[in-house]
Every structure is written in structure tokens, then in C-alpha cells.
Amino acid sequence: LFAGEEVVRTTASIFTISYGIKLFFCGIIAAGAMVIPGISGSLLLMIMGEYYNILGYIKSFNILPLGFFAVGTGIGLILVSKGINILLNKYRSYTLNFIVGIIIVSLVQIVETLFIK
């Protein structure tokens, strides 16, 4: 956790528009992942290297980067939910099978993590 806090301190002091655009797209991806069951939005943020930065922005109430992330999150929620709605209307069985597949793979991964060392 201390390494994450150091990342927050170094990144929080330098904010550019290009970094804001990155936060915007991270918000879209994280929100989209949170809508689909079995995919963790916070894990994707960790993979993209922004999880601890966003926690730091929340902790220090840094509005500008949180604004970029929030707008991206809102747009991501709308786009993914509309996309899933379209897919469910056109390809209902394929979409449901895909979602069930993601859930099953997530459960297998959890069981594997718990019982296989």
C-alpha cells in the first residue's frame, strides 16, 4: 500500500490534459467492466495502473482528475448498458451465453485460487 501511496504523490502533483484523457478512458473501461458480471472494474484499474492514483485523488479531494474520471465513468455506463441492450435485442441467446460463460470462468478462477496453491 505504501508503494501505491507514493505513486499517488508523484502522479497527483503532475496533471496534464493527456493524463486527463487517459483517466477519461480508464473511467469508460472501468464502468463498462462493472456493468458486465464477472469482470472487476477495480482490477482493470489496477492493471492500467490508475487504481491507487484514483484512491489518492478521492482521499485528497482533487476535483480536476476526479472530474475527468467521473465523466468517463458516466459515459461508459451509458455506452455499455446501451450496447448490452442492443445485443440482447438482436442476439439474445449468444449474449446470455457469453455473460454466463464469463460468470462460470470467474467462479472457476475463484475456486482455483482458493484450493490450488
Side-chain angles (χ1 to χ4, degrees), residues 51-110:
Y51 181 78
Y52 290 111
N53 293 338
I54 291 171
L55 283 181
Y57 295 140
I58 292 169
K59 184 178 179 182
S60 64
F61 204 63
N62 197 342
I63 297 294
L64 187 61
L66 286 177
F68 277 90
F69 184 73
V71 170
T73 303
I75 290 174
L77 285 172
I78 293 168
L79 289 177
V80 172
S81 61
K82 293 283 186 188
I84 289 175
N85 189 28
I86 291 169
L87 289 172
L88 281 171
N89 287 333
K90 287 188 175 186
Y91 311 103
R92 184 167 185 80
S93 64
Y94 291 124
T95 305
L96 290 175
N97 287 334
F98 177 75
I99 292 172
V100 169
I102 290 175
I103 293 170
I104 290 171
V105 169
S106 296
L107 291 173
V108 168
Q109 198 66 26
I110 290 170

Side-chain angles (χ1 to χ4, degrees), residues 8-76:
V8 170
R9 278 189 225 113
T10 57
T11 307
S13 62
I14 303 169
F15 185 81
T16 61
I17 295 299
S18 62
Y19 183 66
I21 293 170
K22 179 185 178 189
L23 284 176
F24 173 78
F25 284 110
C26 287
I28 290 174
I29 292 169
M34 290 177 202
V35 171
I36 301 170
I39 299 177
S40 170
S42 51
L43 178 63
L44 286 178
L45 284 174
M46 288 183 88
I47 290 170
M48 291 183 283
E50 293 300 325
Y51 181 78
Y52 290 111
N53 293 338
I54 291 171
L55 283 181
Y57 295 140
I58 292 169
K59 184 178 179 182
S60 64
F61 204 63
N62 197 342
I63 297 294
L64 187 61
L66 286 177
F68 277 90
F69 184 73
V71 170
T73 303
I75 290 174

